[in-house]
Amino acid sequence: MCGIAGIYFFSGENSSLKAETNKITKALSHRGPDYQNSHSFKKCTLYHARLTILDLSTDSNQPFLDSDKQKGLVYNGEIFNYKDLQTKLSNLKTKGDVEVLFKLFEKENINCLDKLNGFFAFAFYDSLKDELQVVRDRYGVKPLYYYYDKEKIAFASELKALMELTGPQELNHNALHTYLRLNYISGKETIFKNIFRLLPGEYISVKNKELVVNHWYSVPVEKKQNSIKELLTDAVKLRLHADVPVGCFLSGGLDSSIISALAKKHHDNIHTFSIGFADEPFFDETEYAELVAKHINSNHHTFKLKNTDLLENITPFLKSIDEPFADSSAFNVYVLSKYTKQHVKVALSGDGADELFMGYNKHKAELLSRTFSSKALSPLVNPVLSVLPDSRNKKFSNKIRQLKRFSKSANLNADERYINWACISSEKEVNDLLLSKSNHSFNQLFDEAFQQKNFNPVNYADLKIVLADDMLVKADRMSMQHGLEIRNPFLDYRIVEFAMNLPENKKISNQGQKLILKESFKDLLPSRIFAREKKGFELPLWKWLKNELKSDIEINWLSEKTIKEQNIFNYEGVKKLKQKLFSDNPGDSPAQIWALIIFQNWYVNFKAFIK
């Protein structure tokens, strides 16, 4: 687990950026605090920041070069089956997975990728062939951004490092529109024009002054008669191997509880970690985490934090945002990672299970929409719902909020319903906030998922959009701010392929959600864990915005002076949103305001890179 960057000039010498090496590696140093280095070839420079997990010796430092220093690899990730792959290679000089990847790619090129069980983003340069290849893993666990023009291609794990290579760029207002709709940016585009996200399962090949982007992976259509219990048990076992301490995130939800219980079977002294809100009982789930920890007999750590403890982390959290990203639970992961890193260097998590096995409330709502038509009831129900206050802050008001969203979807088709439930803001709400009315067709992001016929469209959209651009971004960026590696057993490619080919009724029905997981692991956990209602990893956002953060909103982040000088947002729209936030009926305005706050802080931190 590391940070990578590189630049390749299509022609000419590669000398102009040698003075910038320290800036680039410094921008990546939080991802790899243990060692930073670079290597320059005639036309290409590779940069690396290392977090030592496997083979702690300097032999596995990067850039990793062959003996003649003609070929180089920079790599971010882990190959969990590297020990099996080692047996098929000869003359290995190290004990980790870096050399395994180098040797395999040197020998088989892109063809070797199907053999890898892991997550990764890497670049391999062969100066003899003058060929650069940049690769991203199957599902987008590890990030990779790139830029190219007539002179060069540059790439990096994070935007800040990439901007050191490219210089200032223009804002992408299409991506800003997407960000305000979803609270994150999705797809190939990024917040900057001409900077792109290499999509999951893609690779870049640069040769003969030509850049080509291709797919190396897509989910196969294949009915597999596997046991999820056996698959997940093996996936957890593989991901426990490390030369540093390993633990598990344990929220008390089904997914992290299963992972922690399986980890305990293979690692008797496993440590588990959860975060709680001492001042906010509605958002605190530590009771369930402690129940599971006691049941499996793990060494459990509960970080029960007061609001003052949490608010102390707001400023460094806001400074850490590399690209606008406003899933508010990212803050929880940031704080949890900070405290977890004090005990271990690797943590297993339950990421991916909700997307693969239909565990979200929107999946329940979609099933209900198909089996129960609310169209006829909407004219009767909507007037009643409209006068009831809704927010995410209490159980009753959150139910009202969910009912309002469900009712509004009554007259929509299945595709439109999904988009409605995926979004925080409507198109009108976003256009009311922006001075530049985007012509971007937001719905195109979802077209591939809705048009393909091989898999459940909702599952496929979750895999390609929600998982890749929200959940995995949150896990990677927030953990790597503290040099903590998160491993995701549910995203073992064998489990993803099994789940995507699984009939819907094995995942969700009127009897419940994630049915196959509950059935397969019912003997592993306390019955209360299977019976509890789904709850997101949320924080008391509305309360904080109305109180502790209110002065910053009014005087700094969203003041009339700030908004008008910035010339991006329509102050009248921002003003109406603030009024809604400070009312007794906030709806989703806390999440919408949070998106603006995140953007404003990002804008200040990146101002030197914005044209």
Side-chain angles (χ1 to χ4, degrees):
M1 186 73 74
C2 308
I4 67 172
I7 189 163
Y8 171 88
F9 292 90
F10 292 113
S11 59
E13 292 289 335
N14 173 32
S15 59
S16 60
L17 284 164
K18 287 183 180 178
E20 304 299 319
T21 295
N22 288 340
K23 288 184 179 180
I24 296 160
T25 53
K26 183 179 179 182
L28 294 169
S29 61
H30 59 279
R31 299 187 67 89
D34 298 323
Y35 180 79
Q36 298 95 39
N37 200 10
S38 66
H39 181 81
S40 292
F41 301 90
K42 182 179 179 181
K43 295 170 66 174
C44 178
T45 295
L46 301 175
Y47 306 86
H48 192 263
R50 185 184 181 197
L51 180 68
T52 52
I53 302 293
L54 298 174
D55 186 8
L56 307 186
S57 74
T58 59
D59 295 337
S60 288
N61 283 347
Q62 300 177 51
F64 193 90
L65 308 172
D66 65 343
S67 58
D68 296 327
K69 297 185 178 180
Q70 301 292 332
K71 302 169 186 176
L73 170 76
V74 284
Y75 155 54
N76 170 27
E78 302 285 356
I79 308 301
F80 299 116
N81 62 333
Y82 78 98
K83 286 198 169 184
D84 289 338
L85 296 171
Q86 279 177 334
T87 63
K88 301 173 177 64
L89 299 168
S90 58
N91 300 319
L92 294 174
K93 299 177 181 178
T94 69
K95 298 178 181 179
D97 59 344
V98 178
E99 188 179 14
V100 170
L101 178 59
F102 183 95
K103 293 279 190 181
L104 273 176
F105 202 84
E106 181 183 38
K107 181 181 178 181
E108 301 179 25
N109 207 279
I110 296 297
N111 295 329
C112 79
L113 300 179
D114 289 334
K115 298 178 180 178
L116 307 181
N117 186 341
F119 49 62
F120 45 83
F122 69 86
F124 187 95
Y125 180 63
D126 185 337
S127 66
L128 298 173
K129 296 179 181 178
D130 190 22
E131 183 176 19
L132 172 69
Q133 304 207 70
V134 185
V135 181
R136 194 176 181 202
D137 62 49
R138 293 173 177 86
Y139 312 117
V141 180
K142 294 291 98 188
L144 206 291
Y145 296 95
Y146 68 98
Y147 164 92
Y148 68 97
D149 56 30
K150 293 180 180 179
E151 297 179 351
K152 61 186 177 294
I153 172 176
F155 60 87
S157 297
E158 295 188 6
L159 278 183
K160 191 165 284 185
L162 184 57
M163 305 308 290
E164 295 288 356
L165 291 165
T166 68
Q169 301 294 323
E170 292 182 40
L171 281 180
N172 181 348
H173 288 274
N174 283 343
L176 179 56
H177 178 96
T178 299
Y179 167 70
L180 294 174
R181 290 291 304 275
L182 295 171
N183 272 21
Y184 58 90
I185 297 170
S186 183
K188 185 176 180 179
E189 292 191 340
T190 73
I191 193 62
F192 287 111
K193 290 182 179 179
N194 302 320
I195 290 181
F196 304 99
R197 190 177 285 104
L198 190 64
L199 296 181
E202 286 188 342
Y203 71 96
I204 296 170
S205 182
V206 182
K207 191 174 183 179
N208 299 325
K209 299 185 180 181
E210 184 180 6
L211 183 149
V212 179
V213 180
N214 284 312
H215 285 274
W216 70 269
Y217 176 82
S218 58
V219 182
V221 182
E222 184 181 354
K223 304 299 181 186
K224 301 188 177 186
Q225 302 302 313
N226 291 327
S227 159
I228 185 60
K229 193 167 190 176
E230 291 177 3
L231 286 175
L232 192 56
T233 299
D234 189 59
V236 169
K237 183 179 179 181
L238 278 176
R239 284 157 181 78
L240 285 170
H241 182 76
D243 296 327
V244 295
V246 180
C248 296
F249 286 166
L250 176 57
S251 69
L254 178 64
D255 313 328
S256 65
S257 298
I258 291 173
I259 297 301
S260 298
L262 291 175
K264 173 64 178 178
K265 287 180 176 293
H266 298 292
H267 193 312
D268 188 58
N269 194 36
I270 197 73
H271 288 248
T272 52
F273 305 91
S274 63
I275 185 173
F277 299 92
D279 300 329
E280 305 291 341
F282 177 68
F283 296 97
D284 189 272
E285 298 184 281
T286 54
E287 169 194 355
Y288 296 100
E290 289 167 357
L291 173 68
V292 173
K294 184 177 181 180
H295 183 83
I296 66 174
N297 195 28
S298 66
N299 293 306
H300 190 62
H301 306 261
T302 298
F303 309 121
K304 199 96 164 183
L305 304 176
K306 295 182 178 180
N307 278 339
T308 52
D309 300 320
L310 291 162
L311 287 163
E312 285 176 0
N313 287 283
I314 286 285
T315 298
F317 165 76
L318 291 172
K319 287 182 178 178
S320 77
I321 301 296
D322 187 62
E323 184 177 25
F325 182 83
D327 181 334
S328 60
S329 62
F331 178 71
N332 297 1
V333 180
Y334 177 89
V335 177
L336 176 59
S337 297
K338 174 182 175 180
Y339 286 97
T340 298
K341 178 60 190 292
Q342 297 172 7
H343 301 272
V344 298
K345 211 169 184 177
V346 175
L348 275 59
S349 84
D351 291 320
D354 282 318
E355 290 81 7
L356 295 173
F357 297 99
M358 307 191 82
Y360 288 124
N361 289 327
K362 67 182 177 187
H363 299 136
K364 189 193 302 183
E366 174 58 26
L367 181 69
L368 189 61
S369 294
R370 294 186 213 153
T371 56
F372 167 76
S373 175
S374 60
K375 189 173 182 178
L377 287 177
S378 290
L380 301 174
V381 172
N382 284 341
V384 177
L385 291 176
S386 65
V387 299
L388 295 174
D390 64 287
S391 76
R392 296 174 183 263
N393 219 49
K394 293 181 180 178
K395 187 171 183 178
F396 178 74
S397 59
N398 191 44
K399 286 294 182 186
I400 297 300
R401 183 189 66 83
Q402 291 171 338
L403 283 170
K404 286 182 179 181
R405 285 176 70 88
F406 181 79
S407 181
K408 285 178 182 177
S409 300
N411 297 316
L412 304 178
N413 63 38
D415 296 354
E416 292 169 333
R417 282 199 301 268
Y418 180 89
I419 292 172
N420 183 58
W421 288 327
C423 289
I424 295 295
S425 300
S426 68
E427 183 175 4
K428 182 183 183 306
E429 287 172 327
V430 170
N431 283 332
D432 285 346
L433 287 173
L434 290 171
L435 292 176
S436 175
K437 310 303 181 188
S438 173
N439 293 321
H440 174 61
S441 177
F442 174 77
N443 291 2
Q444 287 179 357
L445 283 173
F446 301 88
D447 282 350
E448 181 195 359
F450 296 152
Q451 291 171 7
Q452 65 84 38
K453 304 298 181 185
N454 295 325
F455 305 108
N456 180 308
V458 170
N459 259 163
Y460 197 75
D462 281 348
L463 181 71
K464 291 290 186 176
I465 298 170
V466 179
L467 185 66
D469 296 327
D470 184 1
M471 300 304 163
L472 292 177
V473 170
K474 172 174 60 181
D476 174 84
R477 306 305 193 278
M478 297 302 103
S479 62
M480 292 306 291
Q481 281 296 323
H482 304 288
L484 176 75
E485 174 174 302
I486 291 182
R487 296 177 175 179
N488 331 92
F490 279 109
L491 295 183
D492 186 301
Y493 75 93
R494 298 167 298 172
I495 293 172
V496 175
E497 292 173 4
F498 169 77
M500 292 300 292
N501 284 283
L502 201 64
E504 182 181 296
N505 62 9
K506 297 288 186 181
K507 304 176 187 181
I508 186 170
S509 74
N510 292 329
Q511 278 68 54
Q513 295 169 267
K514 293 192 275 197
L515 297 174
I516 192 170
L517 294 183
K518 292 177 179 177
E519 176 62 27
S520 299
F521 297 101
K522 61 185 178 182
D523 60 338
L524 206 59
L525 298 167
S527 57
R528 282 183 67 194
I529 300 304
F530 296 97
R532 64 172 297 201
E533 188 176 288
K534 169 71 177 175
K535 189 174 182 182
F537 194 19
E538 297 192 20
L539 72 161
L541 193 58
W542 186 38
K543 180 177 179 180
W544 290 359
L545 295 176
K546 286 197 308 175
N547 298 287
E548 291 90 345
L549 300 179
K550 184 175 181 179
S551 62
D552 278 318
I553 292 171
E554 295 285 36
I555 298 170
N556 182 14
W557 298 325
L558 303 181
S559 71
E560 183 174 6
K561 181 176 182 291
T562 298
I563 294 297
K564 289 186 174 179
E565 285 179 354
Q566 191 180 30
N567 201 35
I568 293 175
F569 300 105
N570 172 18
Y571 181 69
E572 288 305 311
V574 174
K575 182 180 177 181
K576 288 179 182 177
L577 193 56
K578 287 195 292 182
Q579 289 171 344
K580 187 174 182 182
L581 173 73
F582 298 128
S583 74
D584 294 327
N585 189 16
D588 277 326
S589 65
Q592 294 165 328
I593 289 286
W594 185 244
L596 294 175
I597 291 170
I598 293 289
F599 180 85
Q600 295 298 72
N601 280 272
W602 173 88
Y603 187 85
V604 170
N605 293 333
F606 270 75
K607 202 161 188 179
F609 297 122
I610 300 172
K611 278 187 179 178

